[in-house]
Amino acid sequence: MNRITLMFEAAKKERRKTLVGFLTAGDPGMAVSERNMLAALESGVDLLEIGVPFSDPTADGPAIQAAGARALGAGATLGGIIGMAGRLRAASDAPMILFSYANPLFHRGYERVADEAAAAGVDGFLAVDLPFEEASEFRALLAARSLFFIPLVAPTTPEPRMREILSDAGGFVYYIMVKGVTGLRAEAAPDMKEHIEALRRCTKLPIAAGFGVGNGVQARAVAAHADAVVVGSALVEAARQGRLESLVRELSGALRG
Amino acid sequence: MKQGPDAAGHFGEFGGRYVAETLMPALLELERAYRAASADPAFWEEFNAVLRDYVGRPSPLYFARRLTGAYGGAKLYLKREDLNHTGAHKINNTIGQALLARRMGKTKLMAETGAGQHGVAAATAAALFGMECVVYMGEEDIRRQAPNVQRMRFLGARVQPVSSGTATLKDAMSEAMRAWVSRVDDTFYVIGTVAGPHPYPAMVRDFQSVIGREAREQALKQAGRLPDLVLACVGGGSNAAGMFFPFLDDASVRLVGVEAAGYGIATGKHAASIGGGQVGILHGSKSYVLQDGDGQVLNAHSISAGLDYPGVGPEHALWARTGRVKYVSITDAEALEAFEDLTRLEGIIPALESSHAVAEAKKLAVTLPEDGLIAICLSGRGDKDLDNILAYKAKESRA
């Protein structure tokens, strides 16, 4: 069984919510980035999203934009990042997915990327700008290798469309809590609860909610409704400031407490 | 040939909707609204009335006698989009999209701009219809195109500077897409070219097709025949799409799109996405993109801010693939030479963008007989470029 499913099943038995952590691969360079990813896993991240930097990150706010620019400036490549994922896999059994924009995947070739990721022990992909309608080829290639293509659902997604997106999805669902780009927000999304309830009507998959979460208090509020909380920009910033492990411990503790 | 895209917005393998899920419902709504408007004769009646009474259409198809003499070959006709209100073809599209926005009940417009021509055209449409308007513009372009920035502000638009990346059109469009995600409920995103996610490429082409429809009728009326050759510059490709589309089924008419070769394709400093790029996904659609070996988008270069974009509309990618349109490229230096030719010989100051098409005419005129006919889309006027040209020349004379 896929590591993603195993992790969520185990957490459910333990009656705890889980922490999905995003870090931009290659920020500020490959070696430091790899150490940060390992440290995040060792400090309490349950599922790691390995962010593939892209030159034109149209869905990202300032923190992840800047991290991507640093990573590309330091020479990060998709091939190098898949290699890093393989080394992380040798050190950890935690589920890992690659989080990318479509073009780096398309340019390298969907089939080649699926093969390489499977060989490296990656468990799935999340492609920000590859909506349901454009994803069928890549989804089929991943499915043939028992990798998940993680669907994204937004607050703008109507329920009939949710059903379509989730019809043959696996792993978990990523619920984007706000209409906007990635990045920290002071206020929680007011309509999160009703949207997550609508999602529950459409799928039995675990629901991870993200966008805007930066501390333990916010994480706990989201975890009241979702199965997992996704934290990205805040981890990227914490890593830059040398306080990644303490933030991960705070978030992880808030979800267990 | 005149096939629209398929139901999901694909032109062959190109096009589509490569956007974040948050935007998908808005694009589906826009597509439904455009399809309904498109089937409504009243929508086109209003569009055509505004183009006639406000934009000043039809624009003339002008026989450039002295330029023809100098270039020594086929007769050169200029489709005078530079004479439109606001000085370029961009207004055709912003009027269409603003009318659609109003029909959809949206009260705010947003736009990206490179040279500032589309930003001015969007701000103008917003003023005309009493709408709010925000224009995203790279800081580098704000510097290069100061008069247009002032124009937008006088028109009541807010110009939002974009400092990411190279601070040019590519980055302005990325930032506009980010901003649209958070304003998708009440804001209509007016894309200025035939790129972006479906339905924009088809919709913008339809609004711009007035150029080619008029040019075709005017050629038949004035010269008694269709042109042998139709030329237009291609950045994102909206004036070219509008100029070419009505000629697609005329097998005798050769269509040539002119990309910006910058310092030359071989130098890597150019904006020729078809001539020097590969298939990729940028800003919502699959087309030709300037990119490195790892799928990272490269910075384009052109002396012309309006062509300085590393992508191109997906329908152009299809036309290039099928061979219906031939795509060539013209360097900065060649474009400047054509700019000077047209200004001195005809008293018409063309935009640097349009000068690329004129420069290709200079090469091709001699390959046709004297009774041959070339129609060139003169997409805009060049007043906005004078500072930039002076700076370029000062740099060249120092070099």
Side-chain angles (χ1 to χ4, degrees), chain A residues 156-198:
Chain A
T156 50
T157 310
E159 208 168 315
R161 181 172 169 82
M162 281 183 193
R163 287 186 194 285
E164 198 180 5
I165 290 172
L166 297 167
S167 55
D168 62 346
F172 68 97
V173 189
Y174 189 132
Y175 176 63
I176 301 167
M177 290 192 290
V178 295
K179 290 173 207 160
V181 293
T182 56
L184 294 181
R185 283 167 183 83
E187 302 290 318
D191 51 1
M192 167 182 64
K193 182 167 177 278
E194 62 183 79
H195 280 114
I196 290 181
E197 281 168 2

Side-chain angles (χ1 to χ4, degrees), chain B residues 101-102 105-109 130-133 186-188:
Chain B
R102 198 176 63 179
K106 310 262 181 188
T107 55
K108 297 174 182 169
L109 302 183
M131 293 169 160
E132 281 179 37
C133 185
D186 64 351
T187 302
F188 188 106

Side-chain angles (χ1 to χ4, degrees), chain A residues 43 235 238 242-253:
Chain A
S43 324
L235 290 190
R243 49 179 188 84
L244 174 65
E245 285 150 291
S246 65
L247 179 59
V248 171
R249 278 194 294 268
E250 174 191 335
L251 293 162
S252 173

Side-chain angles (χ1 to χ4, degrees), chain B residues 260-272 276 290 298-302 331-332:
Chain B
Y263 296 130
I265 305 263
T267 68
K269 293 199 171 299
H270 63 86
L290 300 182
L298 295 170
N299 299 320
H301 164 79
S302 169
T331 64
D332 289 350

